[in-house]
Amino acid sequence: MTENLFAVSTADALLIDSSSDTLVIKAKALLNSSMEQSMQSTDLNAGRGSQLKFVYNYQKVLAFQIEAADFSPVYLALQTGSEVKNKMSKYFTEELVTFDSTGKGTLSQTPIGNVYVESPANHVTKTPTGKEITDISYADKELKVVYQFNAQVDELTIGANDFPRSYKLVLISDIFNADGDKAYEQQIEVPRYKLDGALSVNLAHDSVAQFTLNGKALTDNDMYATVKWLPVNGTTVKVSSLATDVSEVTLAVGEKQAVLTLGLRGGGYSNVIMKNSDLTFTSDDELIAKFVNGEITAIGTGETNVKVSDGTYTDVIEVVVS
């Protein structure tokens, strides 16, 4: 991954209940998704001039900012540590009621308790009979009425002693190359992600309500997270040279030697094991040794070189057959 790459996409976020291996939510319409690592440090100064001798790092924190543009009751449930329940509950409604010449109006639902009829001055409290309200002063009028009725609803209770729990977090985003083509898919996986419980519901007229799933990674076997890059659309792992696990071998006639070929990628990268199917194996003298599919076979006595190549880089192994 040494080419010019650009991470320009907002990630999708998955929250998974590890205890039941259940996908709790998949948040796609995200405004922002970011990861930030911070840590504390203490300097140790000593000697003449109080030179800086040592820096002690501690309290590493991996925090995430995740902001969703879409709405889901589950966002609220996760941040409050509750669950959405479907139940019968009292529900307020406002409707426009037409009153006849006798001042009688009929509501669409059976109200619970009093109703509140809007008048030019204020709301007037009325006691209905079933669904009906009667007042001669309302004759031949259309008035708004507010009341409660029983309805089957999804309901979330924000409890004073309920707090969010931890989940597995997976952030999935795209990495593009300089040509604008998708080259890699990036995944950041946090085994134990603790939501911060912060909740804000913006109901302003000129914006969309935004919800946050911000939180911090909790340690899991001394690890906070893993970051993975999956090559896509024909992208291949680029190496800077090849190296085999042996540089010279001595074999008796008929013996064989398996060879492992590594691709060296440079600073910051570990070596990658190359697939034999992506390599070409040759021998300078096949009467002495053959080199086929990563395996050297001693044929006759003598010395020769065998070679492995990926089309760009080549490594040579000296072979002595006695």
Side-chain angles (χ1 to χ4, degrees):
M1 201 187 298
T2 57
E3 66 267 46
N4 292 327
L5 299 173
F6 305 90
V8 296
S9 60
T10 300
D12 293 340
L14 309 179
L15 280 179
I16 299 168
D17 187 340
S18 298
S19 62
S20 60
D21 195 22
T22 301
L23 179 62
V24 179
I25 197 166
K26 179 180 181 181
K28 290 185 66 70
L30 296 182
L31 297 171
N32 174 56
S33 53
S34 61
M35 177 178 71
E36 179 179 349
Q37 177 178 287
S38 63
M39 65 183 73
Q40 303 295 319
S41 64
T42 297
D43 295 346
L44 177 61
N45 299 81
R48 292 184 179 180
S50 188
Q51 300 172 12
L52 181 61
K53 297 291 186 180
F54 182 73
V55 176
Y56 172 62
N57 297 119
Y58 62 97
Q59 200 171 317
K60 179 187 286 189
V61 176
L62 195 63
F64 293 82
Q65 303 290 322
I66 303 173
E67 298 176 6
D70 63 334
F71 173 80
S72 172
V74 180
Y75 294 151
L76 306 183
L78 291 171
Q79 284 287 35
T80 58
S82 307
E83 64 178 1
V84 180
K85 298 179 180 179
N86 188 264
K87 58 184 294 187
M88 188 67 70
S89 182
K90 296 178 181 179
Y91 194 84
F92 274 102
T93 188
E94 179 184 75
E95 65 177 272
L96 187 63
V97 177
T98 300
F99 291 85
D100 62 19
S101 59
T102 66
K104 183 175 74 174
T106 303
L107 304 173
S108 61
Q109 304 290 336
T110 301
I112 301 171
N114 292 327
V115 302
Y116 312 100
V117 181
E118 185 180 84
S119 69
N122 53 26
H123 281 84
V124 178
T125 301
K126 292 290 184 180
T127 300
T129 301
K131 293 184 178 182
E132 295 180 352
I133 311 168
T134 303
D135 190 317
I136 190 60
S137 63
Y138 301 153
D140 299 321
K141 294 180 180 179
E142 282 189 336
L143 299 172
K144 290 182 179 179
V145 180
V146 176
Y147 63 96
Q148 276 186 306
F149 68 98
N150 280 320
Q152 194 76 25
V153 299
D154 282 337
E155 181 176 298
L156 174 69
T157 300
I158 302 178
N161 295 311
D162 294 331
F163 301 96
R165 48 169 299 191
S166 63
Y167 296 89
K168 177 190 291 185
L169 169 68
V170 180
L171 292 176
I172 306 172
S173 59
D174 297 329
I175 307 295
F176 295 86
N177 60 27
D179 295 327
D181 299 321
K182 181 178 174 180
Y184 294 89
E185 187 172 272
Q186 175 178 266
Q187 286 193 11
I188 303 173
E189 183 175 316
V190 183
R192 298 178 64 224
Y193 179 64
K194 185 70 160 63
L195 293 161
D196 62 9
L199 184 61
S200 176
V201 181
N202 179 11
L203 301 178
H205 74 94
D206 58 350
S207 65
V208 175
Q210 300 172 13
F211 301 90
T212 63
L213 295 173
N214 299 339
K216 297 177 180 178
L218 304 180
T219 182
D220 183 67
N221 294 322
D222 293 329
M223 179 190 71
Y224 279 145
T226 57
V227 185
K228 307 171 186 178
W229 295 276
L230 175 69
V232 297
N233 298 328
T235 301
T236 57
V237 174
K238 292 179 173 57
V239 300
S240 57
S241 62
L242 296 180
T244 56
D245 60 344
V246 292
S247 58
E248 58 182 43
V249 294
T250 299
L251 301 172
V253 174
E255 280 191 310
K256 296 182 178 183
Q257 172 73 52
V259 176
L260 180 67
T261 304
L262 301 175
L264 309 184
R265 304 182 68 191
Y269 290 93
S270 64
N271 300 331
V272 59
I273 299 176
M274 303 294 290
K275 296 179 181 178
N276 287 341
S277 58
D278 296 331
L279 302 172
T280 300
F281 303 91
T282 58
S283 172
D284 287 350
D285 190 340
E286 291 196 346
L287 295 178
I288 297 174
K290 290 185 177 181
F291 195 17
V292 179
N293 199 29
E295 185 176 69
I296 302 170
T297 302
I299 304 299
T301 58
E303 297 182 7
T304 189
N305 291 329
V306 297
K307 302 171 184 177
V308 57
S309 174
D310 66 349
T312 302
Y313 304 103
T314 301
D315 195 26
V316 179
I317 304 171
E318 297 179 5
V319 180
V320 177
V321 180
S322 57

